Amino acid sequence: MTKQILTAVAFAATAATAALPAFAAEEADVNGDGMLTVSEVQAVWPEVSTDGFMSMDTDGDGLLSEEEVADARELGSLPEEG
Ligand SMILES: [Ca+2]
Ligand SMILES: [Ca+2]
């Protein structure tokens, strides 16, 4: 029974990843520092221009924090997760 559940969970995770046009911010964060650089963003959202990135980077530190990503999603500048 447990094995069946684990298989189902693994399958669901694989299917979700394959179908996702948008990535979770944690997946985009290649170096795992909790912040997204312009290259990390563009690796998963190639449609985001550098200008677009700068407009999302509201405090201008050159990195998107989780909060800035959330704000960008609210404004529709970044694709929603899943
Ligand atoms: Ca990062
Ligand atoms: Ca920032």
Short mmCIF file of all heavy atoms in Angstrom, two decimals:
data_model
loop_
_atom_site.label_atom_id
_atom_site.label_comp_id
_atom_site.label_asym_id
_atom_site.label_seq_id
_atom_site.Cartn_x
_atom_site.Cartn_y
_atom_site.Cartn_z
N MET A 1 0.84 -1.22 0.00
CA MET A 1 0.00 0.00 0.00
C MET A 1 0.87 1.26 0.00
O MET A 1 0.69 2.15 -0.81
CB MET A 1 -0.92 -0.05 1.23
CG MET A 1 -2.07 0.94 1.18
SD MET A 1 -3.05 0.89 -0.37
CE MET A 1 -4.69 0.67 0.26
N THR A 2 1.84 1.26 0.89
CA THR A 2 2.71 2.44 0.97
C THR A 2 3.44 2.66 -0.36
O THR A 2 3.54 3.78 -0.83
CB THR A 2 3.75 2.25 2.09
OG1 THR A 2 3.04 1.89 3.27
CG2 THR A 2 4.51 3.53 2.34
N LYS A 3 3.89 1.57 -0.94
CA LYS A 3 4.62 1.67 -2.20
C LYS A 3 3.74 2.26 -3.31
O LYS A 3 4.19 3.08 -4.11
CB LYS A 3 5.14 0.29 -2.60
CG LYS A 3 6.20 0.38 -3.69
CD LYS A 3 6.71 -0.97 -4.11
CE LYS A 3 7.62 -0.81 -5.32
NZ LYS A 3 7.86 -2.08 -5.98
N GLN A 4 2.49 1.82 -3.30
CA GLN A 4 1.55 2.33 -4.31
C GLN A 4 1.38 3.84 -4.18
O GLN A 4 1.35 4.58 -5.15
CB GLN A 4 0.19 1.66 -4.17
CG GLN A 4 0.11 0.36 -4.94
CD GLN A 4 -1.24 -0.29 -4.79
OE1 GLN A 4 -1.86 -0.18 -3.74
NE2 GLN A 4 -1.69 -0.96 -5.82
N ILE A 5 1.26 4.28 -2.93
CA ILE A 5 1.08 5.72 -2.68
C ILE A 5 2.32 6.49 -3.15
O ILE A 5 2.21 7.49 -3.85
CB ILE A 5 0.79 5.99 -1.19
CG1 ILE A 5 -0.58 5.40 -0.84
CG2 ILE A 5 0.83 7.49 -0.89
CD1 ILE A 5 -0.87 5.33 0.64
N LEU A 6 3.49 5.96 -2.81
CA LEU A 6 4.73 6.64 -3.21
C LEU A 6 4.84 6.71 -4.73
O LEU A 6 5.25 7.72 -5.28
CB LEU A 6 5.95 5.89 -2.63
CG LEU A 6 6.15 6.08 -1.12
CD1 LEU A 6 7.34 5.27 -0.66
CD2 LEU A 6 6.38 7.55 -0.78
N THR A 7 4.47 5.65 -5.40
CA THR A 7 4.52 5.63 -6.86
C THR A 7 3.58 6.68 -7.43
O THR A 7 3.93 7.43 -8.33
CB THR A 7 4.14 4.23 -7.39
OG1 THR A 7 4.99 3.28 -6.76
CG2 THR A 7 4.33 4.16 -8.90
N ALA A 8 2.40 6.76 -6.85
CA ALA A 8 1.41 7.74 -7.31
C ALA A 8 1.93 9.16 -7.10
O ALA A 8 1.79 10.01 -7.97
CB ALA A 8 0.09 7.54 -6.58
N VAL A 9 2.56 9.39 -5.96
CA VAL A 9 3.09 10.72 -5.67
C VAL A 9 4.21 11.06 -6.65
O VAL A 9 4.25 12.15 -7.21
CB VAL A 9 3.60 10.79 -4.21
CG1 VAL A 9 4.40 12.07 -3.99
CG2 VAL A 9 2.42 10.72 -3.24
N ALA A 10 5.10 10.09 -6.89
CA ALA A 10 6.22 10.32 -7.81
C ALA A 10 5.69 10.61 -9.21
O ALA A 10 6.18 11.50 -9.90
CB ALA A 10 7.14 9.10 -7.83
N PHE A 11 4.68 9.88 -9.62
CA PHE A 11 4.11 10.07 -10.95
C PHE A 11 3.48 11.45 -11.05
O PHE A 11 3.68 12.18 -12.02
CB PHE A 11 3.06 9.00 -11.24
CG PHE A 11 2.39 9.19 -12.58
CD1 PHE A 11 3.05 8.84 -13.75
CD2 PHE A 11 1.13 9.76 -12.66
CE1 PHE A 11 2.46 9.04 -14.99
CE2 PHE A 11 0.53 9.97 -13.89
CZ PHE A 11 1.19 9.61 -15.05
N ALA A 12 2.73 11.84 -10.02
CA ALA A 12 2.07 13.14 -10.03
C ALA A 12 3.11 14.25 -10.12
O ALA A 12 2.93 15.21 -10.85
CB ALA A 12 1.22 13.30 -8.77
N ALA A 13 4.22 14.09 -9.40
CA ALA A 13 5.26 15.12 -9.41
C ALA A 13 5.87 15.23 -10.80
O ALA A 13 6.10 16.33 -11.30
CB ALA A 13 6.34 14.79 -8.37
N THR A 14 6.13 14.11 -11.43
CA THR A 14 6.72 14.10 -12.77
C THR A 14 5.77 14.74 -13.77
O THR A 14 6.17 15.59 -14.56
CB THR A 14 7.03 12.65 -13.21
OG1 THR A 14 7.81 12.05 -12.20
CG2 THR A 14 7.79 12.63 -14.51
N ALA A 15 4.51 14.36 -13.70
CA ALA A 15 3.52 14.89 -14.63
C ALA A 15 3.38 16.40 -14.46
O ALA A 15 3.32 17.14 -15.43
CB ALA A 15 2.18 14.20 -14.40
N ALA A 16 3.37 16.85 -13.21
CA ALA A 16 3.21 18.28 -12.94
C ALA A 16 4.38 19.06 -13.53
O ALA A 16 4.20 20.09 -14.14
CB ALA A 16 3.11 18.52 -11.44
N THR A 17 5.59 18.54 -13.35
CA THR A 17 6.78 19.23 -13.86
C THR A 17 6.73 19.32 -15.38
O THR A 17 6.98 20.36 -15.95
CB THR A 17 8.05 18.49 -13.43
OG1 THR A 17 8.02 18.37 -12.01
CG2 THR A 17 9.29 19.25 -13.82
N ALA A 18 6.34 18.22 -16.02
CA ALA A 18 6.33 18.19 -17.48
C ALA A 18 5.29 19.15 -18.06
O ALA A 18 5.50 19.73 -19.11
CB ALA A 18 6.06 16.77 -17.95
N ALA A 19 4.19 19.32 -17.35
CA ALA A 19 3.09 20.12 -17.87
C ALA A 19 3.23 21.60 -17.53
O ALA A 19 2.48 22.41 -18.04
CB ALA A 19 1.77 19.59 -17.31
N LEU A 20 4.20 21.91 -16.66
CA LEU A 20 4.30 23.28 -16.16
C LEU A 20 4.93 24.23 -17.17
O LEU A 20 6.08 24.06 -17.55
CB LEU A 20 5.21 23.29 -14.92
CG LEU A 20 4.55 23.13 -13.56
CD1 LEU A 20 5.62 23.30 -12.50
CD2 LEU A 20 3.46 24.16 -13.36
N PRO A 21 4.23 25.25 -17.59
CA PRO A 21 4.85 26.27 -18.41
C PRO A 21 5.65 27.23 -17.55
O PRO A 21 6.60 27.87 -17.98
CB PRO A 21 3.67 26.99 -19.06
CG PRO A 21 2.54 26.77 -18.12
CD PRO A 21 2.82 25.51 -17.35
N ALA A 22 5.28 27.32 -16.30
CA ALA A 22 5.95 28.21 -15.37
C ALA A 22 6.66 27.40 -14.30
O ALA A 22 6.21 26.33 -13.92
CB ALA A 22 4.93 29.13 -14.71
N PHE A 23 7.78 27.93 -13.83
CA PHE A 23 8.55 27.24 -12.80
C PHE A 23 8.29 27.89 -11.46
O PHE A 23 8.01 29.08 -11.38
CB PHE A 23 10.05 27.36 -13.10
CG PHE A 23 10.51 26.46 -14.21
CD1 PHE A 23 10.14 26.71 -15.51
CD2 PHE A 23 11.31 25.37 -13.93
CE1 PHE A 23 10.56 25.89 -16.54
CE2 PHE A 23 11.73 24.54 -14.95
CZ PHE A 23 11.36 24.81 -16.26
N ALA A 24 8.43 27.09 -10.41
CA ALA A 24 8.41 27.67 -9.08
C ALA A 24 9.69 28.47 -8.90
O ALA A 24 10.72 28.15 -9.48
CB ALA A 24 8.34 26.56 -8.05
N ALA A 25 9.60 29.53 -8.13
CA ALA A 25 10.76 30.38 -7.90
C ALA A 25 11.92 29.55 -7.32
O ALA A 25 13.08 29.79 -7.64
CB ALA A 25 10.41 31.53 -6.96
N GLU A 26 11.59 28.54 -6.51
CA GLU A 26 12.64 27.70 -5.89
C GLU A 26 13.38 26.92 -6.97
O GLU A 26 14.56 26.63 -6.83
CB GLU A 26 12.05 26.72 -4.88
CG GLU A 26 11.21 27.35 -3.77
CD GLU A 26 9.81 27.72 -4.24
OE1 GLU A 26 9.10 26.82 -4.73
OE2 GLU A 26 9.44 28.89 -4.15
N GLU A 27 12.68 26.54 -8.03
CA GLU A 27 13.32 25.79 -9.11
C GLU A 27 14.19 26.72 -9.95
O GLU A 27 15.23 26.32 -10.45
CB GLU A 27 12.27 25.14 -10.01
CG GLU A 27 11.55 23.99 -9.34
CD GLU A 27 10.44 23.46 -10.24
OE1 GLU A 27 10.76 22.69 -11.14
OE2 GLU A 27 9.28 23.85 -10.05
N ALA A 28 13.73 27.94 -10.13
CA ALA A 28 14.49 28.90 -10.91
C ALA A 28 15.77 29.30 -10.19
O ALA A 28 16.76 29.66 -10.81
CB ALA A 28 13.63 30.14 -11.19
N ASP A 29 15.75 29.22 -8.86
CA ASP A 29 16.89 29.63 -8.04
C ASP A 29 17.97 28.56 -8.06
O ASP A 29 18.09 27.73 -7.17
CB ASP A 29 16.40 29.88 -6.61
CG ASP A 29 17.51 30.37 -5.71
OD1 ASP A 29 18.54 30.86 -6.23
OD2 ASP A 29 17.35 30.27 -4.49
N VAL A 30 18.79 28.61 -9.12
CA VAL A 30 19.78 27.56 -9.38
C VAL A 30 20.80 27.44 -8.24
O VAL A 30 21.14 26.35 -7.82
CB VAL A 30 20.51 27.84 -10.72
CG1 VAL A 30 21.62 26.83 -10.95
CG2 VAL A 30 19.51 27.83 -11.87
N ASN A 31 21.28 28.56 -7.71
CA ASN A 31 22.31 28.47 -6.68
C ASN A 31 21.73 28.43 -5.27
O ASN A 31 22.46 28.38 -4.29
CB ASN A 31 23.35 29.60 -6.83
CG ASN A 31 22.75 30.98 -6.60
OD1 ASN A 31 21.55 31.11 -6.34
ND2 ASN A 31 23.58 31.99 -6.68
N GLY A 32 20.40 28.44 -5.18
CA GLY A 32 19.76 28.21 -3.89
C GLY A 32 19.96 29.30 -2.85
O GLY A 32 19.85 29.04 -1.64
N ASP A 33 20.25 30.53 -3.29
CA ASP A 33 20.45 31.59 -2.30
C ASP A 33 19.14 32.30 -1.93
O ASP A 33 19.14 33.25 -1.15
CB ASP A 33 21.50 32.60 -2.79
CG ASP A 33 21.06 33.35 -4.05
OD1 ASP A 33 20.01 33.01 -4.62
OD2 ASP A 33 21.79 34.27 -4.45
N GLY A 34 18.04 31.83 -2.52
CA GLY A 34 16.75 32.42 -2.17
C GLY A 34 16.43 33.68 -2.96
O GLY A 34 15.39 34.30 -2.76
N MET A 35 17.34 34.08 -3.85
CA MET A 35 17.14 35.27 -4.67
C MET A 35 17.32 34.86 -6.13
O MET A 35 18.07 33.94 -6.44
CB MET A 35 18.20 36.34 -4.33
CG MET A 35 18.27 36.70 -2.86
SD MET A 35 16.83 37.61 -2.28
CE MET A 35 17.24 39.26 -2.89
N LEU A 36 16.63 35.57 -7.01
CA LEU A 36 16.75 35.26 -8.44
C LEU A 36 17.51 36.37 -9.15
O LEU A 36 17.15 37.53 -9.05
CB LEU A 36 15.36 35.11 -9.07
CG LEU A 36 14.47 33.99 -8.51
CD1 LEU A 36 13.15 33.93 -9.27
CD2 LEU A 36 15.16 32.65 -8.57
N THR A 37 18.57 35.97 -9.85
CA THR A 37 19.29 36.93 -10.69
C THR A 37 18.58 37.00 -12.04
O THR A 37 17.76 36.15 -12.35
CB THR A 37 20.74 36.47 -10.94
OG1 THR A 37 20.69 35.23 -11.64
CG2 THR A 37 21.50 36.29 -9.64
N VAL A 38 18.97 37.99 -12.84
CA VAL A 38 18.36 38.10 -14.17
C VAL A 38 18.63 36.83 -14.98
O VAL A 38 17.75 36.36 -15.71
CB VAL A 38 18.82 39.39 -14.89
CG1 VAL A 38 20.31 39.36 -15.20
CG2 VAL A 38 18.00 39.62 -16.15
N SER A 39 19.82 36.24 -14.86
CA SER A 39 20.09 35.03 -15.65
C SER A 39 19.29 33.84 -15.14
O SER A 39 18.87 32.99 -15.93
CB SER A 39 21.59 34.72 -15.72
OG SER A 39 22.16 34.73 -14.47
N GLU A 40 19.08 33.77 -13.83
CA GLU A 40 18.24 32.67 -13.30
C GLU A 40 16.80 32.82 -13.79
O GLU A 40 16.15 31.85 -14.14
CB GLU A 40 18.28 32.64 -11.77
CG GLU A 40 19.57 32.06 -11.21
CD GLU A 40 19.69 32.17 -9.70
OE1 GLU A 40 19.01 33.02 -9.09
OE2 GLU A 40 20.46 31.39 -9.13
N VAL A 41 16.32 34.05 -13.80
CA VAL A 41 14.95 34.31 -14.28
C VAL A 41 14.84 33.97 -15.76
O VAL A 41 13.92 33.25 -16.18
CB VAL A 41 14.55 35.77 -14.02
CG1 VAL A 41 13.26 36.13 -14.75
CG2 VAL A 41 14.39 36.01 -12.52
N GLN A 42 15.80 34.44 -16.56
CA GLN A 42 15.71 34.25 -18.01
C GLN A 42 15.94 32.80 -18.42
O GLN A 42 15.50 32.39 -19.48
CB GLN A 42 16.67 35.20 -18.72
CG GLN A 42 16.16 36.64 -18.64
CD GLN A 42 17.09 37.64 -19.29
OE1 GLN A 42 18.27 37.36 -19.50
NE2 GLN A 42 16.58 38.83 -19.59
N ALA A 43 16.60 32.02 -17.56
CA ALA A 43 16.80 30.60 -17.87
C ALA A 43 15.46 29.87 -17.90
O ALA A 43 15.28 28.92 -18.65
CB ALA A 43 17.74 29.96 -16.86
N VAL A 44 14.52 30.28 -17.06
CA VAL A 44 13.23 29.59 -17.01
C VAL A 44 12.11 30.42 -17.64
O VAL A 44 11.10 29.87 -18.06
CB VAL A 44 12.85 29.19 -15.57
CG1 VAL A 44 13.80 28.10 -15.07
CG2 VAL A 44 12.84 30.35 -14.63
N TRP A 45 12.28 31.74 -17.68
CA TRP A 45 11.27 32.61 -18.32
C TRP A 45 11.99 33.45 -19.38
O TRP A 45 12.22 34.65 -19.18
CB TRP A 45 10.60 33.52 -17.30
CG TRP A 45 9.78 32.78 -16.28
CD1 TRP A 45 8.62 32.09 -16.51
CD2 TRP A 45 10.04 32.67 -14.88
NE1 TRP A 45 8.17 31.55 -15.32
CE2 TRP A 45 9.00 31.90 -14.32
CE3 TRP A 45 11.06 33.15 -14.06
CZ2 TRP A 45 8.97 31.59 -12.95
CZ3 TRP A 45 11.02 32.85 -12.70
CH2 TRP A 45 9.97 32.08 -12.17
N PRO A 46 12.35 32.84 -20.52
CA PRO A 46 13.13 33.57 -21.54
C PRO A 46 12.41 34.81 -22.06
O PRO A 46 13.04 35.71 -22.61
CB PRO A 46 13.33 32.55 -22.65
CG PRO A 46 12.73 31.27 -22.20
CD PRO A 46 12.03 31.47 -20.92
N GLU A 47 11.10 34.86 -21.87
CA GLU A 47 10.34 36.02 -22.37
C GLU A 47 10.51 37.25 -21.50
O GLU A 47 10.10 38.35 -21.88
CB GLU A 47 8.85 35.67 -22.53
CG GLU A 47 8.09 35.47 -21.22
CD GLU A 47 8.17 34.03 -20.67
OE1 GLU A 47 9.16 33.32 -20.98
OE2 GLU A 47 7.27 33.64 -19.94
N VAL A 48 11.13 37.08 -20.32
CA VAL A 48 11.34 38.24 -19.45
C VAL A 48 12.58 38.99 -19.92
O VAL A 48 13.68 38.44 -19.96
CB VAL A 48 11.52 37.79 -17.98
CG1 VAL A 48 11.88 38.96 -17.09
CG2 VAL A 48 10.23 37.11 -17.48
N SER A 49 12.39 40.24 -20.30
CA SER A 49 13.52 41.06 -20.76
C SER A 49 14.27 41.62 -19.55
O SER A 49 13.76 41.59 -18.43
CB SER A 49 13.01 42.20 -21.62
OG SER A 49 12.22 43.07 -20.81
N THR A 50 15.45 42.14 -19.81
CA THR A 50 16.22 42.76 -18.73
C THR A 50 15.44 43.95 -18.15
O THR A 50 15.42 44.14 -16.94
CB THR A 50 17.59 43.21 -19.25
OG1 THR A 50 18.24 42.07 -19.82
CG2 THR A 50 18.46 43.75 -18.12
N ASP A 51 14.79 44.71 -19.03
CA ASP A 51 13.96 45.82 -18.55
C ASP A 51 12.82 45.32 -17.68
O ASP A 51 12.49 45.92 -16.66
CB ASP A 51 13.37 46.59 -19.74
CG ASP A 51 14.37 47.56 -20.35
OD1 ASP A 51 15.45 47.75 -19.75
OD2 ASP A 51 14.06 48.12 -21.41
N GLY A 52 12.22 44.20 -18.13
CA GLY A 52 11.14 43.60 -17.35
C GLY A 52 11.62 43.17 -15.98
O GLY A 52 10.95 43.38 -14.96
N PHE A 53 12.82 42.58 -15.97
CA PHE A 53 13.42 42.16 -14.70
C PHE A 53 13.62 43.37 -13.79
O PHE A 53 13.28 43.35 -12.61
CB PHE A 53 14.76 41.47 -14.97
CG PHE A 53 15.47 41.02 -13.72
CD1 PHE A 53 15.25 39.75 -13.20
CD2 PHE A 53 16.36 41.86 -13.07
CE1 PHE A 53 15.89 39.33 -12.04
CE2 PHE A 53 17.01 41.46 -11.91
CZ PHE A 53 16.77 40.19 -11.40
N MET A 54 14.17 44.45 -14.37
CA MET A 54 14.45 45.64 -13.56
C MET A 54 13.18 46.25 -12.99
O MET A 54 13.19 46.79 -11.88
CB MET A 54 15.23 46.65 -14.41
CG MET A 54 16.70 46.26 -14.53
SD MET A 54 17.57 47.11 -15.87
CE MET A 54 17.41 48.81 -15.38
N SER A 55 12.09 46.14 -13.77
CA SER A 55 10.84 46.71 -13.25
C SER A 55 10.27 45.84 -12.12
O SER A 55 9.55 46.33 -11.26
CB SER A 55 9.82 46.88 -14.38
OG SER A 55 9.34 45.64 -14.82
N MET A 56 10.62 44.56 -12.13
CA MET A 56 10.18 43.68 -11.03
C MET A 56 11.06 43.86 -9.79
O MET A 56 10.62 43.62 -8.66
CB MET A 56 10.24 42.22 -11.48
CG MET A 56 9.21 41.87 -12.52
SD MET A 56 9.29 40.11 -12.89
CE MET A 56 9.97 40.12 -14.52
N ASP A 57 12.32 44.27 -10.03
CA ASP A 57 13.27 44.44 -8.92
C ASP A 57 13.02 45.80 -8.27
O ASP A 57 13.73 46.77 -8.52
CB ASP A 57 14.69 44.35 -9.50
CG ASP A 57 15.74 44.54 -8.43
OD1 ASP A 57 15.43 44.36 -7.24
OD2 ASP A 57 16.87 44.89 -8.80
N THR A 58 12.01 45.84 -7.42
CA THR A 58 11.55 47.14 -6.93
C THR A 58 12.56 47.85 -6.03
O THR A 58 12.57 49.07 -5.96
CB THR A 58 10.20 47.00 -6.19
OG1 THR A 58 10.27 45.92 -5.26
CG2 THR A 58 9.08 46.69 -7.18
N ASP A 59 13.43 47.10 -5.33
CA ASP A 59 14.41 47.79 -4.50
C ASP A 59 15.74 47.99 -5.22
O ASP A 59 16.69 48.54 -4.66
CB ASP A 59 14.61 47.08 -3.14
CG ASP A 59 15.22 45.67 -3.29
OD1 ASP A 59 15.52 45.28 -4.43
OD2 ASP A 59 15.38 45.00 -2.26
N GLY A 60 15.80 47.55 -6.50
CA GLY A 60 16.95 47.84 -7.34
C GLY A 60 18.27 47.21 -6.93
O GLY A 60 19.33 47.71 -7.27
N ASP A 61 18.21 46.07 -6.19
CA ASP A 61 19.47 45.43 -5.81
C ASP A 61 19.97 44.42 -6.84
O ASP A 61 20.98 43.76 -6.63
CB ASP A 61 19.36 44.78 -4.41
CG ASP A 61 18.37 43.62 -4.38
OD1 ASP A 61 17.68 43.38 -5.39
OD2 ASP A 61 18.29 42.95 -3.33
N GLY A 62 19.25 44.34 -7.98
CA GLY A 62 19.68 43.42 -9.03
C GLY A 62 19.27 41.98 -8.80
O GLY A 62 19.66 41.09 -9.55
N LEU A 63 18.50 41.74 -7.76
CA LEU A 63 18.03 40.40 -7.44
C LEU A 63 16.54 40.45 -7.14
O LEU A 63 16.05 41.44 -6.59
CB LEU A 63 18.75 39.86 -6.19
CG LEU A 63 20.26 39.68 -6.29
CD1 LEU A 63 20.87 39.56 -4.89
CD2 LEU A 63 20.61 38.46 -7.12
N LEU A 64 15.84 39.38 -7.48
CA LEU A 64 14.43 39.31 -7.11
C LEU A 64 14.29 38.47 -5.85
O LEU A 64 14.68 37.31 -5.83
CB LEU A 64 13.60 38.67 -8.24
CG LEU A 64 13.45 39.43 -9.55
CD1 LEU A 64 12.39 38.76 -10.41
CD2 LEU A 64 13.09 40.89 -9.32
N SER A 65 13.74 39.06 -4.83
CA SER A 65 13.43 38.32 -3.61
C SER A 65 12.11 37.59 -3.82
O SER A 65 11.39 37.85 -4.78
CB SER A 65 13.34 39.27 -2.43
OG SER A 65 12.25 40.15 -2.63
N GLU A 66 11.79 36.71 -2.88
CA GLU A 66 10.51 36.00 -2.94
C GLU A 66 9.36 37.00 -3.00
O GLU A 66 8.38 36.80 -3.71
CB GLU A 66 10.37 35.16 -1.67
CG GLU A 66 10.01 33.71 -1.92
CD GLU A 66 10.08 32.91 -0.65
OE1 GLU A 66 9.08 32.90 0.08
OE2 GLU A 66 11.15 32.34 -0.36
N GLU A 67 9.49 38.06 -2.26
CA GLU A 67 8.44 39.08 -2.19
C GLU A 67 8.28 39.80 -3.54
O GLU A 67 7.17 40.04 -4.00
CB GLU A 67 8.82 40.09 -1.11
CG GLU A 67 7.66 40.86 -0.54
CD GLU A 67 8.12 41.76 0.59
OE1 GLU A 67 8.72 41.24 1.56
OE2 GLU A 67 7.91 42.97 0.49
N GLU A 68 9.42 40.12 -4.15
CA GLU A 68 9.37 40.79 -5.46
C GLU A 68 8.78 39.87 -6.52
O GLU A 68 8.04 40.31 -7.40
CB GLU A 68 10.77 41.27 -5.85
CG GLU A 68 11.20 42.50 -5.06
CD GLU A 68 12.68 42.81 -5.17
OE1 GLU A 68 13.47 41.93 -5.56
OE2 GLU A 68 13.05 43.94 -4.85
N VAL A 69 9.12 38.56 -6.44
CA VAL A 69 8.53 37.59 -7.36
C VAL A 69 7.02 37.53 -7.16
O VAL A 69 6.25 37.53 -8.13
CB VAL A 69 9.18 36.19 -7.16
CG1 VAL A 69 8.39 35.10 -7.90
CG2 VAL A 69 10.62 36.19 -7.64
N ALA A 70 6.59 37.51 -5.90
CA ALA A 70 5.16 37.45 -5.60
C ALA A 70 4.45 38.69 -6.14
O ALA A 70 3.37 38.60 -6.73
CB ALA A 70 4.95 37.32 -4.09
N ASP A 71 5.07 39.85 -5.97
CA ASP A 71 4.48 41.10 -6.48
C ASP A 71 4.40 41.06 -8.00
O ASP A 71 3.40 41.47 -8.59
CB ASP A 71 5.33 42.30 -6.06
CG ASP A 71 5.18 42.63 -4.58
OD1 ASP A 71 4.26 42.06 -3.93
OD2 ASP A 71 5.98 43.41 -4.07
N ALA A 72 5.48 40.57 -8.64
CA ALA A 72 5.50 40.50 -10.11
C ALA A 72 4.39 39.58 -10.61
O ALA A 72 3.76 39.85 -11.62
CB ALA A 72 6.86 39.99 -10.58
N ARG A 73 4.17 38.50 -9.87
CA ARG A 73 3.10 37.58 -10.27
C ARG A 73 1.74 38.23 -10.13
O ARG A 73 0.85 38.04 -10.96
CB ARG A 73 3.17 36.30 -9.45
CG ARG A 73 4.33 35.45 -9.87
CD ARG A 73 4.25 34.06 -9.31
NE ARG A 73 5.01 33.16 -10.13
CZ ARG A 73 5.98 32.37 -9.67
NH1 ARG A 73 6.27 32.37 -8.40
NH2 ARG A 73 6.64 31.59 -10.49
N GLU A 74 1.59 39.00 -9.08
CA GLU A 74 0.30 39.69 -8.87
C GLU A 74 0.04 40.66 -10.01
O GLU A 74 -1.10 40.83 -10.46
CB GLU A 74 0.34 40.44 -7.54
CG GLU A 74 -0.64 39.88 -6.52
CD GLU A 74 -0.46 40.51 -5.18
OE1 GLU A 74 -0.78 41.71 -5.05
OE2 GLU A 74 0.00 39.82 -4.26
N LEU A 75 1.09 41.30 -10.49
CA LEU A 75 0.95 42.27 -11.58
C LEU A 75 0.92 41.59 -12.95
O LEU A 75 0.74 42.24 -13.97
CB LEU A 75 2.14 43.24 -11.55
CG LEU A 75 2.21 44.14 -10.32
CD1 LEU A 75 3.55 44.87 -10.28
CD2 LEU A 75 1.07 45.15 -10.33
N GLY A 76 1.14 40.27 -12.96
CA GLY A 76 1.11 39.53 -14.22
C GLY A 76 2.41 39.62 -15.01
O GLY A 76 2.45 39.25 -16.16
N SER A 77 3.49 40.10 -14.37
CA SER A 77 4.77 40.21 -15.07
C SER A 77 5.49 38.88 -15.18
O SER A 77 6.36 38.70 -16.02
CB SER A 77 5.70 41.20 -14.36
OG SER A 77 5.02 42.40 -14.10
N LEU A 78 5.18 37.96 -14.29
CA LEU A 78 5.77 36.63 -14.31
C LEU A 78 4.65 35.59 -14.36
O LEU A 78 3.61 35.80 -13.75
CB LEU A 78 6.57 36.37 -13.03
CG LEU A 78 8.04 36.70 -12.96
CD1 LEU A 78 8.61 36.14 -11.67
CD2 LEU A 78 8.83 36.17 -14.14
N PRO A 79 4.88 34.49 -15.05
CA PRO A 79 3.86 33.45 -15.06
C PRO A 79 3.60 32.92 -13.65
O PRO A 79 4.51 32.85 -12.85
CB PRO A 79 4.48 32.35 -15.94
CG PRO A 79 5.58 32.99 -16.67
CD PRO A 79 6.06 34.14 -15.84
N GLU A 80 2.35 32.58 -13.40
CA GLU A 80 1.99 31.96 -12.13
C GLU A 80 2.56 30.56 -12.08
O GLU A 80 2.71 29.92 -13.10
CB GLU A 80 0.46 31.87 -12.00
CG GLU A 80 -0.25 33.19 -11.93
CD GLU A 80 -0.08 33.87 -10.57
OE1 GLU A 80 0.19 33.19 -9.58
OE2 GLU A 80 -0.25 35.10 -10.52
N GLU A 81 2.82 30.08 -10.87
CA GLU A 81 3.23 28.69 -10.72
C GLU A 81 2.06 27.77 -11.02
O GLU A 81 0.94 28.07 -10.69
CB GLU A 81 3.68 28.42 -9.28
CG GLU A 81 5.02 29.04 -8.96
CD GLU A 81 5.30 28.92 -7.47
OE1 GLU A 81 4.97 27.88 -6.89
OE2 GLU A 81 5.85 29.86 -6.92
N GLY A 82 2.44 26.66 -11.63
CA GLY A 82 1.54 25.54 -11.84
C GLY A 82 0.20 25.88 -12.37
O GLY A 82 -0.70 25.12 -12.31
CA CA B 1 19.81 32.53 -6.93
CA CA B 2 15.37 43.21 -5.35
#
